[in-house]
Amino acid sequence: MVSLSSHSEKPAGPFDWPLAYEAEQLLRRHVEAFLQRNGFARRLAGRMREETGTDFYEWVDHIMVASDQAAALRAGGLAEEKVPAPAGITVLHHPRAMMPRVLLRAGGAVDGAPSVLAVRPESLVDFLARHDVSVPIDGEFGARLRRALVAEEQGTRFEAVERLGWRGFTPEPPAPGLAASVVKARELFHTRKRDFADDAAGVQHAFAVLDQVLALVPRDVACELFFAEERGYWEFRNRAARVQKRRQDLLGLGWGNHDHHTFRCSRTRFPDLIEFLTRLGLEKRERYYAGEEAGWGAQIMESPAAGIVVFADVDLKPGEIDI
């Protein structure tokens, strides 16, 4: 994954993007302790490194540790996140960094190691199939959260989860008709016309498709589906992406490790782009200016529910930074 912290310019406004080394190192130690006890996860981590060139840590959705770790985690910068979770569990996240979340529970550790670690592939079914794991899936097709127990070893549970614009930890039955609506929404995004002689017509068409999708599914679901389709389109046009995707697909991972998406458009249509992303639920988080010699800047936006970050790039002159 590419780290957003590689951008050296300080963001404008109140948002501060810290490196969060202390929190990352603390979480990495917990992940490593889990790998020492769970052979399936440890072997997968090795295959990720050797076959895909990716870091197991970047695929971790969450871990579960004992409640007595709360003070150390909070000191590292994590804070409580109010999301649906089973009784007796407190959820911690880092509010200014992209890293695994932590579930706190009494007795949530095994000899000091997390009792549960879950990775997040793009497709749960693909992940289970690639690893020849035939287990029940908790959560119906179309549910906002689906999960499965992949391997249980030495008191630890290695799980995989699939999310659909959802930050919670309690699988719930999908709303009536949602599964069919998700399929239709995917079709609408997949068949969206992209080539137009006139940019204005293209923008109008994109908004018309978005209106249809938002009439079918919740906004956060639409956000998840839209960017999945954009990754597919990007992959279609980028040979290196196709090669890497193939490597990750052989482990059933898909693009579950996406860090951020970059869109670059004309100055004339930049407001339309921001409006489109806003309607998908992305919030303006910070601004970035690459410098006078580069001549461009970006509005950085985020959808916490879907885990989507966007760099919306546009040509920018020094005198326009504060516009």
Side-chain angles (χ1 to χ4, degrees), residues 22-313:
E22 183 180 354
E24 180 178 340
Q25 292 306 313
L26 179 58
L27 291 182
R28 282 186 178 274
R29 287 195 294 270
H30 282 299
V31 170
E32 183 58 32
F34 181 89
L35 293 178
Q36 293 303 312
R37 298 186 66 89
N38 194 290
F40 189 107
R42 184 170 62 253
R43 291 188 293 273
L44 177 61
R47 293 189 65 187
M48 285 178 173
R49 181 178 60 253
E50 298 298 326
E51 298 175 29
T52 72
T54 63
D55 183 359
F56 180 85
Y57 172 85
E58 304 291 356
W59 294 92
V60 177
D61 182 85
H62 65 271
I63 60 175
M64 177 179 289
V65 301
S67 300
D68 61 9
Q69 296 295 311
L73 291 164
R74 292 179 186 276
L78 277 74
E80 185 173 351
E81 182 178 20
K82 298 294 186 181
V83 294
I89 288 180
T90 300
V91 180
L92 298 184
H93 74 128
H94 199 299
R96 294 183 177 272
M98 297 170 64
M99 57 182 59
R101 289 183 291 164
V102 180
L103 306 185
L104 296 174
R105 192 190 71 183
V110 180
D111 293 336
S115 60
V116 178
L117 183 149
V119 293
R120 182 185 174 184
E122 192 168 24
S123 166
L124 178 57
V125 172
D126 287 348
F127 183 79
L128 296 176
R130 286 297 179 185
H131 295 282
D132 196 26
V133 176
S134 181
V135 296
I137 294 178
D138 186 10
E140 301 174 27
F141 176 77
R144 306 287 293 276
L145 172 67
R146 307 182 79 200
R147 64 188 181 192
L149 173 61
V150 179
E152 192 167 13
E153 301 178 28
Q154 298 189 68
T156 64
R157 294 170 58 91
F158 178 51
E159 301 179 351
V161 301
E162 177 184 297
R163 295 182 178 276
L164 187 58
W166 180 249
R167 296 276 290 180
F169 290 91
T170 53
E172 300 175 356
L178 179 61
S181 294
V182 167
V183 172
K184 180 60 178 178
R186 283 175 173 163
E187 290 179 352
L188 288 167
F189 280 142
H190 190 59
T191 58
R192 174 170 67 91
K193 181 175 170 58
R194 293 177 180 268
D195 294 326
F196 288 84
D198 177 61
D199 288 345
V203 169
Q204 184 178 14
H205 173 70
F207 274 101
V209 172
L210 180 59
D211 285 341
Q212 294 179 68
V213 171
L214 291 176
L216 289 169
V217 297
R219 186 179 64 178
D220 292 334
V221 174
C223 183
E224 188 90 53
L225 299 177
F226 173 79
F227 285 96
E229 182 58 38
E230 291 304 289
R231 289 191 295 275
Y233 182 71
W234 164 74
E235 179 190 334
F236 174 74
R237 294 167 61 90
N238 188 299
R239 184 171 181 270
R242 293 194 295 274
V243 172
Q244 182 62 23
K245 178 62 159 35
R246 176 61 176 170
R247 293 170 177 169
Q248 296 184 184
D249 279 346
L250 288 174
L251 290 182
L253 300 170
W255 285 125
N257 62 333
H258 62 81
D259 182 272
H260 66 269
H261 302 68
T262 298
F263 291 83
R264 186 171 181 83
C265 74
S266 68
R267 290 161 60 90
T268 301
R269 294 300 169 189
F270 190 69
D272 294 319
L273 172 62
I274 299 302
E275 172 63 20
F276 190 92
L277 296 174
T278 300
R279 291 191 60 190
L280 278 171
L282 281 86
E283 302 171 356
K284 297 177 183 177
R285 199 184 65 189
E286 60 186 289
R287 290 174 294 171
Y288 168 73
Y289 182 51
E292 185 173 353
E293 293 185 2
W296 64 272
Q299 173 66 61
I300 301 172
M301 306 179 71
E302 181 179 19
S303 167
I308 297 293
V309 174
V310 167
F311 278 62
D313 294 356

